Amino acid sequence: MIGRLRGILIEKQPPQVLIEIGGIGYEVQMPMSCFYELPNLGEEAIIYTHFVVREDAQLLYGFNSVSERALFREVIKANGVGPKMGLGILSGMTASQFVSCVEREDISTLIKLPGVGKKTAERLVVEMKDRLKGWGTGDLLTPTTDAAPADNRTMISEQNSEEEAVSALLALGYKPAQASKAVAQVAKAGMSSEQLIRDALKSMV
């Protein structure tokens, strides 16, 4: 199993990154809450990974810390929740927010996440409430700050940023109309795709 990668970031296409190690590029999908904290292109990154083998694909999911990966693994243990939905859940809110929703049995907030219906939200609360006991918020993800992430591309049109943001939301499980509407509502001149994604996700939770 591949559990950790250390190499140079050569591509960042939310929610996927390409990290080069010894001449080999590894494609890794990351929740946006982790994606925002990555270093710039060309810099070294350490990513803790969860390796998924399916009949039709081998996939790597990446996180900035062991605790983030541990929470992801707990989330996908719930009935009806696969890695893609887990990625969407941890993109739509920080780990501390997710733990708080489970503890407060906040079904109404959970069902705003991509692919999470009422029954799935109820299962998450029932199955995870005991498992998340003792998880202090300080041991989980560091909540994302409001600081604007660095945009590594100096020349990118606003239209391309919006298209990339919509594509990222689609990859996280949001419906096309929902993704387009959310991006259009938060779009402002000069915003990077990462800013658009973050603000669009905030607007939907």
Side-chain angles (χ1 to χ4, degrees), residues 49-193:
T49 57
H50 177 77
F51 187 40
V52 175
V53 178
R54 302 190 326 217
E55 289 184 4
D56 59 342
Q58 296 184 26
L59 305 170
L60 277 173
Y61 294 88
F63 309 87
N64 295 333
S65 71
V66 173
S67 60
E68 292 170 341
R69 182 180 63 185
L71 180 61
F72 176 79
R73 287 174 171 172
E74 290 297 327
V75 169
I76 64 175
K77 285 179 184 177
N79 288 328
V81 179
K84 183 175 181 179
M85 187 181 294
L87 194 74
I89 290 171
L90 295 182
S91 290
M93 59 176 60
T94 65
S96 57
Q97 288 171 335
F98 175 75
V99 173
S100 178
C101 282
V102 171
E103 290 176 342
R104 292 183 289 106
E105 301 184 13
D106 188 355
I107 304 298
S108 61
T109 297
L110 291 173
I111 61 175
K112 294 177 183 178
L113 297 166
V116 180
K118 186 177 180 182
K119 289 184 178 179
T120 300
E122 290 172 346
R123 280 201 301 269
L124 282 168
V125 168
V126 171
E127 296 182 28
M128 299 199 67
K129 197 163 186 179
D130 287 338
R131 295 210 300 265
L132 292 180
K133 282 182 179 178
W135 285 64
T137 54
D139 298 326
L140 299 174
L141 277 172
T142 302
T144 54
T145 66
D146 289 328
D151 188 352
N152 301 300
R153 289 156 293 187
T154 55
M155 296 297 292
I156 181 168
S157 70
E158 291 171 16
Q159 183 179 1
N160 285 342
S161 292
E162 292 182 23
E163 289 174 355
E164 188 172 312
V166 171
S167 294
L169 293 177
L170 293 177
L172 293 171
Y174 288 95
K175 295 179 180 178
Q178 189 180 17
S180 298
K181 182 179 178 181
V183 170
Q185 285 179 335
V186 301
K188 295 178 182 178
M191 291 180 73
S192 70
S193 59

Side-chain angles (χ1 to χ4, degrees), residues 6-56:
R6 179 179 178 179
I8 304 300
L9 286 175
I10 57 176
E11 285 184 18
K12 293 169 71 177
Q13 295 290 330
Q16 183 170 285
V17 301
L18 187 64
I19 181 170
E20 184 175 314
I21 303 167
I24 299 174
Y26 293 86
E27 293 180 344
V28 185
Q29 297 184 57
M30 303 183 72
M32 292 308 301
S33 51
C34 295
F35 195 98
Y36 301 136
E37 303 300 321
L38 288 171
N40 294 328
L41 293 180
E43 295 183 3
E44 184 179 84
I46 295 175
I47 299 174
Y48 295 89
T49 57
H50 177 77
F51 187 40
V52 175
V53 178
R54 302 190 326 217
E55 289 184 4
D56 59 342

